[in-house]
Amino acid sequence: MPGYYPQDIEKKWQAHWKEHHTFKAENQSDKPKYYVLDMFPYPSGAGLHVGHPLGYIASDIVARYKRLQGYNVLHPMGFDSFGLPAEQYAIQTGQHPALTTEQNIDTYIRQLNSLGFSYDWSREVRTSDPQYYKWTQWIFLKLFNSWYNLDTNRAEPLKTLLDKFQQNGSEGIRAAGDEEERHSFTAGQWQSFTEKQKLQAVHPYRLAYQQDTYVNWCPGLGTVLSNDEVKDGLSERGGFPVERRLMPQWNLRITAYADRLLQGLDTLDWPDAVKEMQRNWIGKSIGAEVEFSVIRTENLEPRTQNSAENTLSSQFSLLSSKIKVYTTRVDTIYGATFLVLAPEHELLKELTTPDQQQAIQDYIDATKRRSERDRMADTKTVSGAFTGAYALNPFTNEPIQIWIADYVLAGYGTGAVMAVPSGDQRDYVFAKHFNLPIVQVVDAQQIDEQADPTKEGKYLHGLIQGQNYKQATQTLIQELEQRGIGKGKTNFRIRDAIFGRQRYWGEPIPIYYKEGVAYGVAEADLPLVLPEIDEYKPTETGEPPLGRAKDWKYKGQFEYELSTMPGWAGSSWYYLRYMDPQNVGRFVGEEAEQYWQQVDLYMGGAEHATGHLLYSRFWHLFLKDLGLVSAPEPFQKLINQGMILGRSNFVYRINGTNTFVSSGKKGDHQTTALHVDVNIVENDVLDIEAFKNWREEYANAEFILEDNGTYVCGVEVEKMSKSKYNVVNPDTLIEKFGADALRLYEMFLGPLEQFKPWNTNGMSGVAGFLKKLWRLYHPQDGDFAVTDEAPKPAELKALHKAIRKVEEDIEKFSFNTTVSALMITVNELTALDTHKRAVLEPLVVLVSPYAPHLAEELWQKLGHAPGSISSATYPEFKEEYLVEDVVNYPVAINGKVREQLQFPATATPADIEAAVRASDFLARFADGKEAKKIIVVPGRMVNVVV
């Protein structure tokens, strides 16, 4: 008996696809293009578990479906192959991270191929390949040699800036970035500058620039970590302490693009949640910048919540120091009763009085152990330290205390906030805790128990007394600008992206130093290849690992930058390289880029919303400014697949023993639940011998079993991870059930975007469906027996219902309902004993995106060229086959249904009424009464009124 043996079929077709380059995409075609992409995977040593392929399966279904629709489909795959895990392994073992990475990639490719994905492997890229990161370095150099012109609202080559300097000096130049970092000079001064002086003057304008920046420094890992890599003051990897440290860092000026990144979101077909995350991360706010003068005080008594207003102007004088504050509620400035600075604020050392130095230093030390994310998220803890210094509220002319608190961040706004406890709850709690004054600013405020941020009512003080919110805001900004102590300003929460890691396994930053000034490596000298080093940890003097490289200098004399690029560098533009990966002269060929334009469908996790997705958009906008790409955005449609959760099993050990009690018997014992490897459990029943062999300490374990002699495990749904022993390897399932069954089952679990629990027991049902499908073509698992006999109406009806349903559902990315529809169709055709080509040939095309191996096998048996189902045509839906010949009508007497009668679908209400009168219906159900009226609702029902 031939039967259905998926393992043999799947290996056969995977080999065929590889040999014949079945899914190779061309960069020019008469067909419409469709670019479907999976987010770049990092090749971890553990390989794939069953949760990883969820998005890959969905995108592959779409890719195969689009080919059937006549599209030229680009569906590539590659690897984000730089990363900290490989480097940590190298530090521990001495093995070069390239070797570890290569082995991991081999495992990934084998597993991906075993699932039958229709990738164009000829376009594979790896971020750690010098021929790839040559172009990552090239893009960095473009950023290094560009500035952002606010007059043209785009990036421009530095030459246009230098021309302005040559003609008019720095006067009138409007550039993105911190104006305070730049110096004013005339054209004549510029022309007299030395080369070094010119470079120093230009540096603060660059889109890639170096600056002392507060970073998350992890001494244990010897590197700077992103906020995402720090949790509760410890590194996510390894659990090492992390502290905030001021270090020279390379930065990319993403802030220049903040407004455009916001506006572009409106053009994208992305989940609303992801777009909202980016909007919040960018954080546009319209407000004002205000200068508070620092004052010298003599015996000034601090004002508290209970004290009368100070009128101590004779007791203080102004100092030269100014504290700039950015606020979105300048209307509340009369209620600003203290200032709060970030613990990293540049003026802190100057401001702190001698008697407060210890308290301030202790607070700074504590803050260093917390990441910015932790500081922002912690809204319950109230902490701070008084500097001993005072500032002058420019509108009340009252001295106000200057504090530090970790909820203020150095990198957002000016690193200082004016605290208005009557209008801000965090300020209110702070003021209550430290007994600081709270001043009502609007007559509508209710501040007895909490802050009230209302903008309703009339203002109570000074210049704005009696005004409403809009009037007050305009009045105050006008006054600030007239007095030269502030201005209206738009601000963004987003900060420039730190672009450096003190580690080895990453792209070298193509910068060298001459006389302490940064120069870009010549493009002709790219790639700057990672040098060989003897160890992969920082040097004994604290330099990054690249400091170990011997004789590694540009042109043999200039020191290179020792930091490497962050993990997101290579993944910010890889979608472009896929368009033209073999191009040696350009990062992507112009014709290829103009043909593919952008990714039509991007599949990946929502966790990348404010990292990879934002940085990619930033790089793309920059490349577009330089005329190097044509599409306005990199990814037009985004789908976030949900997570497949693990189904953990537990054994219950009686405390103090090596005896394990079955789940149903554990109530009589004090036990500890222990995770057990789900691969030695079937239908929650433990394989006891396998358990004894699993871990040495369980070799002599004893068991209290159920009455039927089995050991039943406990169950819990939780995240799939090695530590919980609930990881299911797809290799095992493919070997047992086949890849097509795994593909179908993952889609069948539920809606793509939702989290879903895994249960291997459900695989058998999907495998049974595929066997039933096989038997439509091979009755009783016998020989292939498809006939050319004309199909019956019922068979065509079942087929065309499926054609319409599958097309509608794939277009909506509702893959679970498609699988259900295919199962229903196969059941209907099995009941009809269908073996006809006119039905089964279109059916196999419908199935092919989901179960491609089985579809290829059946397609060949139907007489088509081997491996050609990808170039088949999606079946045309025909409404005529769904038209019913007869309609079932419920027939009621006085509203109570008595029976169902069939009438031709073409029957008119008059025809139906006549047929009911002519039948024995009234004789059987109306007790001999005559019908007064017969009401016919076409297609619905008949009601006889007696």
Side-chain angles (χ1 to χ4, degrees):
M1 301 283 282
Y4 170 54
Y5 300 104
Q7 294 78 7
D8 297 338
I9 290 173
E10 289 169 2
K11 287 184 175 65
K12 166 187 170 182
W13 289 109
Q14 287 163 15
H16 180 94
W17 296 331
K18 181 177 180 180
E19 180 184 353
H20 293 85
H21 307 287
T22 302
F23 308 114
K24 184 175 175 60
E26 298 299 332
N27 281 350
Q28 292 296 333
S29 174
D30 293 334
K31 299 178 179 178
K33 70 94 183 178
Y34 194 82
Y35 186 177
V36 55
L37 182 62
D38 300 306
M39 282 192 186
F40 229 10
Y42 172 76
S44 69
L48 298 173
H49 62 61
V50 292
H52 291 131
L54 181 69
Y56 301 160
I57 295 168
S59 64
D60 193 61
I61 288 169
V62 174
R64 290 176 176 274
Y65 166 71
K66 288 295 183 179
R67 291 190 190 99
L68 297 174
Q69 285 198 314
Y71 285 84
N72 179 30
V73 174
L74 174 56
H75 188 34
M77 176 51 72
F79 300 95
D80 192 7
S81 49
F82 277 129
L84 196 55
E87 181 157 16
Q88 285 301 110
Y89 187 75
I91 291 171
Q92 295 162 10
T93 65
Q95 178 172 294
H96 197 290
L99 297 176
T100 309
T101 302
E102 183 74 26
Q103 293 165 3
N104 295 347
I105 287 176
D106 288 345
T107 299
Y108 263 62
I109 290 176
R110 177 187 60 76
Q111 290 186 301
L112 292 169
N113 281 332
S114 72
L115 282 157
F117 296 135
S118 60
Y119 294 130
D120 180 356
W121 282 109
S122 71
R123 295 174 183 259
E124 180 196 349
V125 299
R126 303 178 184 186
T127 55
S128 57
D129 179 353
Q131 294 310 308
Y132 178 87
Y133 70 69
K134 164 186 177 178
W135 296 107
T136 310
Q137 293 172 335
W138 181 84
I139 295 172
F140 172 84
L141 289 175
K142 292 295 182 188
L143 286 156
F144 180 68
N145 291 313
S146 297
W147 67 297
Y148 198 93
N149 187 341
L150 292 175
D151 289 330
T152 59
N153 198 29
R154 65 182 181 88
E156 295 178 3
L158 278 180
K159 184 182 183 306
T160 63
L161 178 65
L162 301 181
D163 289 344
K164 291 177 183 290
F165 287 166
Q166 184 73 19
Q167 294 169 12
N168 301 304
S170 60
E171 184 181 355
I173 292 177
R174 298 179 63 248
D178 189 348
E179 296 175 6
E180 295 182 2
E181 294 289 324
R182 299 165 182 158
H183 303 290
S184 298
F185 49 84
T186 65
Q189 288 173 320
W190 169 259
Q191 291 160 20
S192 67
F193 282 172
T194 65
E195 178 185 343
K196 181 177 180 179
Q197 288 174 321
K198 286 183 176 180
L199 288 172
Q200 289 172 330
V202 167
H203 193 80
Y205 292 85
R206 296 182 188 272
L207 289 182
Y209 65 96
Q210 198 175 36
Q211 187 180 60
D212 284 347
T213 305
Y214 278 97
V215 295
N216 300 314
W217 171 249
C218 179
L221 295 175
T223 189
V224 171
L225 300 178
S226 69
N227 286 331
D228 292 339
E229 297 170 313
V230 181
K231 187 173 184 181
D232 299 326
L234 301 174
S235 64
E236 194 172 50
R237 183 171 184 82
F240 297 104
V242 176
E243 64 182 56
R244 299 289 291 168
R245 181 182 290 187
L246 192 63
M247 297 178 66
Q249 285 289 323
W250 283 95
N251 296 266
L252 299 188
R253 211 179 293 281
I254 190 174
T255 51
Y257 287 87
D259 221 11
R260 289 169 64 186
L261 288 168
L262 270 179
Q263 294 168 14
L265 289 170
D266 296 335
T267 69
L268 300 178
D269 185 5
W270 286 18
D272 289 338
V274 173
K275 292 200 282 189
E276 193 60 26
M277 287 170 72
Q278 288 206 359
R279 289 189 182 102
N280 291 337
W281 191 263
I282 295 166
K284 183 176 181 178
S285 58
I286 298 174
E289 197 170 73
V290 185
E291 279 185 358
F292 284 75
S293 296
V294 179
I295 59 177
R296 177 180 285 111
T297 60
E298 304 292 343
N299 302 317
L300 180 64
E301 290 294 328
R303 183 179 169 204
T304 68
Q305 293 172 26
N306 301 316
S307 61
E309 290 188 9
N310 282 321
T311 55
L312 302 173
S313 58
S314 61
Q315 296 184 351
F316 61 80
S317 57
L318 298 182
L319 298 178
S320 59
S321 299
K322 309 284 187 185
I323 295 175
K324 278 190 177 180
V325 165
Y326 175 78
T327 176
T328 58
R329 292 293 306 275
V330 71
D331 60 296
T332 65
I333 197 166
Y334 283 96
T337 57
F338 56 100
L339 295 183
V340 185
L341 311 186
E344 304 90 350
H345 198 281
E346 59 187 6
L347 289 179
L348 194 55
K349 189 174 181 179
E350 174 187 331
L351 291 173
T352 305
T353 58
D355 58 333
Q356 292 298 115
Q357 283 182 357
Q358 188 59 52
I360 291 294
Q361 190 57 52
D362 290 345
Y363 194 85
I364 291 171
D365 292 342
T367 302
K368 284 181 179 179
R369 296 189 287 271
R370 305 187 73 199
S371 72
E372 286 191 354
R373 176 163 292 184
D374 290 339
R375 289 162 60 178
M376 288 188 290
D378 185 3
T379 57
K380 296 180 180 179
T381 305
V382 182
S383 68
F386 178 42
T387 65
Y390 290 78
L392 185 68
N393 183 318
F395 284 87
T396 66
N397 284 322
E398 289 185 3
I400 58 177
Q401 295 183 11
I402 303 172
W403 287 68
I404 64 169
D406 64 4
Y407 71 84
V408 182
L409 305 179
Y412 177 59
T414 63
V417 299
M418 66 175 207
V420 183
S422 65
D424 180 273
Q425 185 61 24
R426 198 160 201 170
D427 295 343
Y428 185 91
V429 173
F430 194 94
K432 285 288 187 182
H433 186 82
F434 290 108
N435 196 30
L436 296 168
I438 300 173
V439 173
Q440 184 176 349
V441 294
V442 185
D443 61 11
Q445 279 182 309
Q446 301 293 324
I447 58 173
D448 293 339
E449 297 182 4
Q450 63 183 14
D452 183 356
T454 184
K455 299 175 183 177
E456 302 299 322
K458 301 294 183 181
Y459 287 78
L460 300 172
H461 306 287
L463 291 175
I464 57 174
Q465 186 173 1
Q467 295 185 352
N468 61 30
Y469 166 73
K470 188 174 181 181
Q471 293 168 332
T473 301
Q474 292 173 343
T475 297
L476 291 168
I477 290 177
Q478 185 177 11
E479 180 70 12
L480 287 170
E481 292 175 349
Q482 284 179 352
R483 290 168 57 184
I485 59 170
K487 60 184 177 180
K489 187 176 180 182
T490 298
N491 210 5
F492 295 90
R493 181 178 293 112
I494 192 172
R495 280 155 287 162
D496 285 340
I498 296 174
F499 196 74
R501 297 289 185 269
Q502 287 63 50
R503 66 187 191 203
Y504 173 74
W505 192 232
E507 301 92 334
I509 295 177
I511 291 291
Y512 68 93
Y513 295 93
K514 185 169 71 172
E515 297 182 17
V517 176
Y519 289 75
V521 169
E523 291 180 7
D525 293 329
L526 299 179
L528 173 57
V529 178
L530 271 174
E532 295 294 327
I533 57 176
D534 57 350
E535 288 187 89
Y536 302 102
K537 58 186 180 181
T539 68
E540 287 70 19
T541 55
E543 292 178 311
L546 287 181
R548 297 178 177 276
K550 303 290 189 223
D551 302 320
W552 192 54
K553 295 183 178 181
Y554 188 56
K555 305 294 186 184
Q557 57 180 321
F558 301 114
E559 298 290 342
Y560 280 119
E561 168 63 48
L562 298 182
S563 296
T564 52
M565 296 186 192
W568 52 267
S571 62
S572 291
W573 72 281
Y574 75 110
Y575 61 96
L576 292 167
R577 190 63 179 170
Y578 278 143
M579 297 176 183
D580 197 17
Q582 276 76 49
N583 195 316
V584 296
R586 204 173 187 271
F587 75 111
V588 58
E590 290 184 72
E591 289 185 4
E593 189 278 328
Q594 288 169 8
Y595 176 73
W596 293 110
Q597 290 275 313
Q598 64 183 166
V599 176
D600 297 287
L601 173 64
Y602 200 26
M603 194 81 70
E607 67 273 15
H608 298 290
T610 56
H612 159 65
L613 288 169
L614 197 58
Y615 295 139
S616 294
R617 295 183 61 222
F618 160 43
W619 278 37
H620 192 93
L621 287 172
F622 167 69
L623 292 170
K624 184 167 176 59
D625 282 352
L626 297 192
L628 297 170
V629 298
S630 53
E633 289 276 349
F635 317 117
Q636 181 54 39
K637 182 172 183 63
L638 173 71
I639 293 179
N640 297 135
Q641 80 275 10
M643 183 183 293
I644 290 183
L645 299 171
R647 190 175 189 274
S648 300
N649 283 120
F650 297 87
V651 292
Y652 301 94
R653 184 169 62 192
I654 299 175
N655 293 345
T657 75
N658 201 24
T659 300
F660 294 83
V661 59
S662 183
S663 177
K665 300 276 189 173
K666 67 182 176 67
D668 300 329
H669 305 274
Q670 294 291 321
T671 63
T672 299
L674 303 171
H675 282 92
V676 64
D677 186 351
V678 296
N679 295 295
I680 58 175
V681 178
E682 186 168 352
N683 290 322
D684 300 328
V685 175
L686 179 69
D687 183 333
I688 291 175
E689 288 306 311
F691 178 74
K692 289 181 175 182
N693 294 328
W694 177 48
R695 303 267 290 275
E696 187 177 344
E697 64 263 37
Y698 301 149
N700 298 315
E702 296 182 352
F703 300 87
I704 299 174
L705 306 177
E706 302 289 337
D707 294 339
N708 63 1
T710 62
Y711 187 99
V712 178
C713 296
V715 177
E716 186 175 326
V717 174
E718 51 190 350
K719 187 175 180 179
M720 202 172 281
S721 75
K722 288 189 295 183
S723 65
K724 296 177 175 29
Y725 302 108
N726 62 358
V727 170
V728 179
N729 190 321
D731 297 351
T732 305
L733 298 180
I734 290 170
E735 185 178 341
K736 184 174 182 181
F737 298 103
D740 284 343
L742 180 57
R743 290 169 63 107
L744 280 162
Y745 183 57
E746 294 219 3
M747 294 296 97
F748 187 56
L749 282 172
L752 180 65
E753 296 88 349
Q754 293 183 6
F755 282 39
K756 303 167 279 287
W758 178 266
N759 187 349
T760 299
N761 300 332
M763 285 286 296
S764 56
V766 175
F769 157 69
L770 291 173
K771 290 177 181 177
K772 186 176 284 189
L773 175 65
W774 173 267
R775 290 172 188 144
L776 289 176
Y777 302 80
H778 303 81
Q780 289 80 49
D781 280 338
D783 293 334
F784 185 76
V786 173
T787 72
D788 290 325
E789 186 181 350
K792 299 174 183 175
E795 295 170 327
L796 290 171
K797 179 181 177 183
L799 171 66
H800 282 268
K801 278 196 305 182
I803 292 172
R804 180 172 65 180
K805 178 67 173 169
V806 169
E807 184 171 18
E808 288 175 351
D809 285 354
I810 291 183
E811 293 288 352
K812 294 185 296 185
F813 308 98
S814 180
F815 304 105
N816 60 312
T817 54
T818 308
V819 176
S820 297
L822 291 171
M823 289 177 170
I824 292 168
T825 302
V826 168
N827 285 338
E828 289 178 351
L829 295 177
T830 299
L832 293 168
D833 197 25
T834 301
H835 306 291
K836 296 159 185 169
R837 176 182 296 275
V839 174
L840 298 187
E841 191 165 272
L843 178 64
V844 77
V845 176
L846 293 185
V847 169
S848 64
Y850 290 83
H853 307 90
L854 176 56
E856 288 280 24
E857 184 72 10
L858 295 175
W859 190 248
Q860 183 182 17
K861 286 174 177 277
L862 286 163
H864 299 282
S868 65
I869 198 166
S870 294
S871 57
T873 301
Y874 189 83
E876 181 185 357
F877 167 67
K878 294 185 178 179
E879 182 76 40
E880 62 201 71
Y881 293 122
L882 301 191
V883 175
E884 301 285 354
D885 294 330
V886 295
V887 177
N888 285 323
Y889 278 83
V891 184
I893 289 183
N894 292 341
K896 186 174 182 179
V897 175
R898 295 296 187 175
E899 72 172 347
Q900 302 273 341
L901 295 177
Q902 280 191 348
F903 300 101
T906 56
T908 65
D911 294 335
I912 293 171
E913 180 179 347
V916 170
R917 289 184 183 279
S919 71
D920 61 353
F921 177 82
L922 287 169
R924 287 187 292 118
F925 297 109
D927 296 329
K929 298 176 184 176
E930 290 190 6
K932 294 181 179 177
K933 191 175 184 182
I934 295 180
I935 302 168
V936 178
V937 181
R940 298 285 301 278
M941 68 171 295
V942 178
N943 185 34
V944 180
V945 181
V946 297

